[in-house]
Amino acid sequence: MATGFLFWFLAALTLAPKDLGLGSAVVAAALLTVQAGMLGVGPATLTLLPSQDDAGRRRLMATSLATVGLSSLAVATALLLITLGLGPGVGQAWNDAAVTAGFLAAALFASTAYQLDHINVAQSRADLALVRSLLQGLTQLAVLLFCLASGYRTVMPVIGAVAAGAVGSVILGMHQLHRAGIGPRWKEGVRLSEATKLLGPALRNYPLMLADRAPGYLLPLIVAATMSASATAAWYVVWMMASAVFFVPQSAGYSLQAKLAAPGSELALAGRALKISLLLTLVSGGVLLGAGPIFLNVLGPQYAPHWILLPLLVPALILSCTTQIYYGICRAYARFAESTAVAVLAAVVAVMPGTAVAQAYGLPGISALWLFAQLSAAVIAATRLKNLARGPGG
């Protein structure tokens, strides 16, 4: 959270809003590719890995990493071609071959790093993910500072730094696994039969994962296509602040899923997970409300007025605590139909009117729309959690 926020703060402080707006749109496209290219493999790993023996875990790791890597490259290529055809917004970035290469590299290695996160959580080794995240954030900062010090202040330093950070995270992650003696068994894991066994449960997770995560990365692209590059830059800086806090409820949901997948677990874990998630999100959201306007003011008049978005986004983050715990339970107990329906509802509310709302009401309208979408999902999730708590073990 800290290094990521500092990265975007320095980028906004030193790059022209036009360049930062286009760069942030490219990064959003890469992160959207990560979510679309995962094919539900990450959440499926949280359910499958804890129940495997050592050999099975190592095969599963190899299969999941290879599947995610190939899929993310395919999705990145498709997204590149689609946005290139549309033209406005992120499509104009592909005129620079270096930006295109940076985008493809960021998509490949960021998706691989994200899958390594899921593997670490499934192994109850979040400390490994912490070390990799720190390296990733520091590498991004170092590359950005080097480019800025060299006078290279265009779109490329942003996407190049994100790609370099992901590469560093993947290299360290593979070293961590091999050092612990649990490295992936590539020869056995990279087989069509293994991929088929993984994709069965993975694709059942995929609609929920995509409906839940993709809208957050689609909104910057909508803003870039319908508003100015300066507005895109301002939106993305504020959005990254909120996204840093969102890692709390998201991590709580994924960690709960991994614990519920282990033998002998009880649904009562959900209550404790929800309390911890709410507490940490309230604290983080309070810090964001207090410090966010100060940082935006330091960035200058282009960004300062947009502090008004924070009181709309922070309540949405708090509401997501309930929704993410609900999704974690549904993934663990294969309740995909109902949870996917809730996620799709929220996605439709957030994305479908996005273009019209952005044109009519600007960034405050987009933020209010996101809050309403999260409220819709949280009300249903809270009702379902209450019903589930009445059952055995609740």
Side-chain angles (χ1 to χ4, degrees):
M1 288 170 61
T3 56
F5 174 73
L6 183 57
F7 173 83
W8 287 106
F9 177 76
L10 290 175
L13 197 62
T14 53
L15 297 180
K18 179 181 179 181
D19 291 328
L20 180 63
L22 188 57
S24 61
V26 174
V27 172
L31 297 179
L32 175 62
T33 298
V34 171
Q35 299 302 321
M38 289 294 292
L39 295 180
V41 168
T45 301
L46 296 177
T47 301
L48 297 174
L49 200 64
S51 61
Q52 300 285 324
D53 58 19
D54 181 69
R57 290 175 185 174
R58 297 173 72 175
R59 286 196 304 272
L60 179 61
M61 285 189 286
T63 305
S64 66
L65 290 168
T67 302
V68 165
L70 291 174
S71 175
S72 64
L73 276 180
V75 173
T77 302
L79 183 61
L80 191 153
L81 294 174
I82 292 171
T83 52
L84 182 64
L86 294 176
V90 71
Q92 66 194 55
W94 313 134
N95 296 327
D96 188 335
V99 173
T100 303
F103 164 72
L104 293 173
L108 171 62
F109 287 98
S111 61
T112 304
Y114 194 42
Q115 175 56 17
L116 285 170
D117 287 344
H118 287 88
I119 290 173
N120 292 153
V121 172
Q123 295 172 322
S124 295
R125 292 301 307 270
D127 57 307
L128 300 181
L130 172 61
V131 174
R132 289 193 302 102
S133 295
L134 182 59
L135 174 67
Q136 184 171 353
L138 292 176
T139 301
Q140 287 184 179
L141 281 173
V143 172
L144 179 65
L145 288 171
F146 176 79
C147 292
L148 296 178
S150 303
Y152 193 40
R153 303 189 177 190
T154 62
V155 175
M156 191 55 203
V158 174
I159 186 64
V162 171
V167 170
S169 177
V170 170
I171 292 174
L172 177 59
M174 297 306 298
H175 174 71
Q176 289 172 331
L177 293 176
H178 284 288
R179 185 177 180 181
I182 53 174
R185 288 187 173 179
W186 298 106
K187 187 175 181 180
E188 299 175 14
V190 184
R191 294 176 178 174
L192 182 59
S193 58
E194 293 294 328
T196 302
K197 287 193 293 184
L198 173 63
L199 285 175
L203 290 176
R204 289 193 291 272
N205 280 273
Y206 188 50
L208 171 59
M209 178 183 178
L210 200 59
D212 177 39
R213 304 296 290 130
Y217 300 111
L218 280 172
L219 286 180
L221 301 183
I222 292 174
V223 172
T226 57
M227 302 178 68
S228 66
S230 298
T232 304
W235 168 258
Y236 206 72
V237 169
V238 176
W239 190 242
M240 284 296 99
M241 293 181 186
S243 296
V245 177
F246 178 68
F247 278 115
V248 175
Q250 182 191 26
S251 297
Y254 280 139
S255 298
L256 175 64
Q257 178 191 349
K259 290 297 183 183
L260 291 177
S265 63
E266 295 182 359
L267 189 57
L269 286 170
R272 295 196 290 273
L274 180 57
K275 291 176 183 177
I276 294 172
S277 179
L278 282 170
L279 175 61
L280 294 178
T281 304
L282 282 168
V283 172
S284 302
V287 172
L288 179 58
L289 283 175
I294 298 174
F295 284 115
L296 291 173
N297 189 61
V298 172
L299 293 177
Q302 172 67 37
Y303 300 93
H306 297 289
W307 68 268
I308 193 66
L309 305 181
L310 295 175
L312 295 170
L313 294 176
V314 169
L317 293 167
I318 296 170
L319 289 168
S320 70
C321 293
T322 302
T323 311
Q324 292 302 315
I325 291 297
Y326 168 66
Y327 290 159
I329 293 173
C330 289
R331 287 191 297 262
Y333 295 141
R335 293 175 172 268
F336 296 115
E338 63 172 272
S339 54
T340 301
V342 175
V344 168
L345 171 65
V348 170
V349 171
V351 174
M352 290 298 289
T355 300
V357 169
Q359 292 173 340
Y361 302 104
L363 298 183
I366 290 288
S367 301
L369 188 64
W370 182 257
L371 174 58
F372 182 66
Q374 298 309 306
L375 175 62
S376 302
V379 168
I380 301 174
T383 303
R384 292 296 301 135
L385 285 176
K386 184 177 180 180
N387 293 336
L388 289 171
R390 293 171 177 167

